[in-house]
Amino acid sequence: MSVADDRGKTIALAAPAQRIVALAPSLAELAFAAGAGGRLVGVARFSDYPPEARRIPQVGDAARVDFERVVALKPDLILAWRSGNSAADVSRLESLGYPAFVSEPARLSDIPRLLNAIGALAGTDAAAGRVATEFQREIAALRGRYSNARRVRVFYLIWHKPLLTVNGAHMISDVIALCGGENVFADVAQLTPNVSLEAVIAAKPEVILGGASADGEKEFAERWRASSVPPLAGLPTRYISPDTIQRQTPRIAEGAKAVCSALEDARKRGR
């Protein structure tokens, strides 16, 4: 079996992978969603979903891979994240003889594609296909519901000090567009740019979404009001659980529903 990864490299296996190491929490979650969770023998730090992932040995994180532990686990497939894992680390693992499937999901359509790819490599095609199809159905339903909705200008806050947001190449921006929103910093070159309050004021958002810098709706709203200035402090805010929007997995359908709900509330306020 062979699958092309997001480097354009073909990963060919003589038999379905039985021992998989995932070098990002989102990849561990994707493996479970694709029916291959039972094949995982190593995961990255912070791999906590589903709960079973917490019991799998950890092999480091984006900053450092524990090569000795990986070797000891004898994997027959590495799942890596192109912008989250060091290219040098991936190359070293490949030089040790481990096939590496490297992904770089940027659009909602990438999630079913990756599910099917992992399912093909692990021999769990049927399970992966079912989850991929259900995800596509949920996204299509949201697209149909909000495709003609009034556009809402959105500032998405992924961190509050400094102010970090996302550009149009980020999957969060794709979610905003799905819900009939417009990312006010879509045209910025950097994927996760640092922006000033002055720039946010000039962008004229109608709603503030985010959540990574808070533990819930109340804290997110209070922190935003404390750190912003008029007229930004008076804008409606909505907390979006980070795990459902910042990990490129099927759970992003849940995050998309929350974003769509927030934008619909903003439309009602603006009438």
Side-chain angles (χ1 to χ4, degrees):
M1 59 207 63
S2 62
V3 174
D5 71 5
D6 288 342
R7 299 172 295 178
K9 183 173 181 177
T10 297
I11 312 305
L13 302 179
Q18 300 297 316
R19 300 182 62 80
I20 302 172
V21 167
L23 298 182
S26 59
L27 291 170
E29 188 173 333
L30 278 170
F32 272 99
R39 313 283 179 86
L40 287 169
V41 295
V43 297
R45 189 182 177 201
F46 304 121
S47 296
D48 56 8
Y49 190 89
E52 296 91 323
R54 299 172 183 168
R55 298 194 289 269
I56 300 172
Q58 296 185 358
V59 295
D61 52 30
R64 178 182 175 273
V65 172
D66 187 334
F67 291 98
E68 290 185 2
R69 175 162 286 192
V70 172
V71 170
L73 292 171
K74 300 179 180 178
D76 49 22
L77 178 65
I78 304 290
L79 300 178
W81 178 22
R82 188 172 187 178
S83 61
N85 297 123
S86 162
D89 286 349
V90 174
S91 294
R92 182 176 174 186
L93 288 168
E94 289 180 310
S95 72
L96 292 171
Y98 306 120
F101 177 85
V102 180
S103 63
E104 184 63 16
R107 289 290 177 263
L108 290 164
S109 58
D110 289 328
I111 291 174
R113 176 179 62 82
L114 292 178
L115 284 168
N116 286 320
I118 293 170
L121 292 169
T124 57
D125 310 63
R130 286 192 295 270
V131 175
T133 298
E134 175 60 19
F135 178 82
Q136 289 172 311
R137 186 195 65 78
E138 291 184 274
I139 296 304
L142 292 173
R143 182 169 286 110
R145 181 174 179 181
Y146 295 104
S147 59
N148 295 317
R150 179 180 72 81
R151 309 297 288 178
V152 177
R153 294 179 62 78
V154 179
F155 172 53
Y156 198 95
L157 181 64
I158 60 172
W159 199 254
H160 72 288
K161 192 178 289 187
L163 294 180
L164 294 179
T165 186
V166 297
N167 75 358
H170 199 287
M171 191 175 292
I172 290 175
S173 195
D174 203 25
V175 171
I176 291 170
L178 170 75
C179 297
E182 180 182 349
N183 175 6
V184 296
F185 288 104
D187 293 336
V188 177
Q190 189 178 354
L191 187 66
T192 55
N194 179 346
V195 297
S196 65
L197 281 173
E198 291 77 13
V200 180
I201 292 171
K204 297 181 179 179
E206 299 172 73
V207 62
I208 311 298
L209 306 181
S213 59
D215 292 326
E217 186 79 45
K218 182 179 179 181
E219 183 180 353
F220 179 72
E222 290 177 349
R223 184 169 286 174
W224 171 251
R225 293 190 181 102
S227 62
S228 61
V229 296
L232 298 176
L235 290 175
T237 62
R238 179 68 68 89
Y239 174 81
I240 310 296
S241 175
D243 285 352
T244 65
I245 194 74
Q246 292 179 205
R247 288 188 183 182
Q248 301 95 333
T249 75
R251 279 197 295 165
I252 207 167
E254 180 183 339
K257 291 173 185 176
V259 170
C260 289
S261 174
L263 299 196
E264 190 63 12
D265 287 346
R267 291 184 188 99
K268 293 175 182 177
R269 288 172 61 104
R271 287 175 183 170

